[in-house]
Amino acid sequence: MSAADSIPTLEEVTAGWLSEVLRAAGHPDAEVAGFRHVPVGTGQFGNCVRFTLSYARPQPEYPATIVGKFPSTDEMTRTMAVAVRAYSREVGFYNRLRSEVQIATPHCYYAAVRDHGPEFVILMEDMHPAKQGDQIAGCDPSLARQITLALVGLHGPTWRDTSLAGAEWLSFDDPVELHNAIHAFFRSVLPEFLDRHRDELATEQKDLFQRLADSPEFPISPPVGEAFCAIHQDYRLDNLLLDTTRTPAAVTVVDWQSLTVGHPLSDVSYFLGGNLRVDQRRSVEERIVRDYHDALLDFGAAGLGWAECWEAYRRASIFGLATVVFASMGVERTERGDELIATMARRHTTHALDLGAEEFLD
């Protein structure tokens, strides 16, 4: 079986297979003589490792290290990932969409998936010395602005691209049925979620989660209309690689497993609401959103006025509540994961309350 049609598990990776991948990716004489790997990152849907490679005939252009992404080792998480098509969406991004957008991503050597998984594998550029961001720690407002403006490189090139809306690898057959299923799942797991975090959330925050569950429309995304494009949908510091040895820091976006077509302000609101400390976010968010809006219009994305933009930003703050519950109840628990979930829950509920987004739940 050639590298072009194989999907090995991490345990099945061989030097010969890595050699074939690198040859097909533009290094025709590469021969991997040996390799070792260590875990890298804190992803939950995927299992990421860094391969350190040695070559029979080394050349300066050969990568010394590459990052491999494989299915989660947890059965429950794999089942959830397949249900939401996380693996096939990420492979689709690298194989079908990456060349069309201008947002910074790693070079992809190889990406393959069988149906919607769980069998999949991605080999990508190691962005060292860049390090994974830390959503718990958050980031300063100037970096938050830079990260937000980087979204224009995703939203602008795909603005009103109708070919994406019907793409089989990206879209679900019945969006209404999917929305109803998500609502049902949210309602079913919310009691356990609230019990798990009963000591970490204020009463008004827990009440907001319950109001969302009880809302007939379950409005977790702004109405799209003509303001649609490709969105990352999990745009946060843990899914960004930051090279702070450069000024300004170089930002590379990874973890495209939630990619979909939606309203661009979903990404903006989700990032600012969940990755800035509350006092910082309150002082800078409107200015950053205005800068993003101006940059998107300058790119050529016509038809999104400021009033519509700001309302969509407010509406999109609700999305963080849904995401934090799904992340908490759908993947394997870890100590850091529990701390992250509690941090996200507090920030996203405070964000929605600050913006008066509860009016959209009635």
Side-chain angles (χ1 to χ4, degrees), residues 10 13 17-18 37-40 46-51 65-71 109-110 120-126:
L10 176 58
V13 171
W17 182 77
L18 290 170
H37 61 79
V38 296
V40 62
N47 177 30
C48 293
V49 300
R50 173 178 286 115
F51 290 100
T65 57
I66 57 176
V67 171
K69 192 166 188 177
F70 300 85
Y109 296 102
Y110 183 73
F120 94 103
V121 61
I122 297 173
L123 293 182
M124 68 188 89
E125 177 185 7
D126 184 358

Side-chain angles (χ1 to χ4, degrees), residues 190-246:
L190 183 61
E192 182 180 349
F193 171 86
L194 292 177
D195 183 65
R196 183 182 294 179
H197 298 284
R198 61 184 179 276
D199 298 328
E200 298 162 314
L201 297 173
T203 298
E204 64 178 359
Q205 294 173 320
K206 289 181 279 192
D207 288 347
L208 188 62
F209 277 109
Q210 191 61 58
R211 285 189 64 180
L212 176 58
D214 295 340
S215 174
E217 300 299 322
F218 193 58
I220 57 175
S221 300
V224 173
E226 295 186 351
F228 66 88
C229 57
I231 60 173
H232 187 280
Q233 211 176 202
D234 197 18
Y235 196 71
R236 56 191 181 87
L237 284 168
D238 282 22
N239 291 335
L240 304 175
L241 302 178
L242 309 176
D243 182 358
T244 56
T245 66
R246 301 167 60 180

Side-chain angles (χ1 to χ4, degrees), residues 176-189:
V176 174
E177 181 181 352
L178 174 65
H179 184 82
N180 292 338
I182 292 172
H183 189 187
F185 179 76
F186 183 88
R187 295 186 67 173
S188 69
V189 300

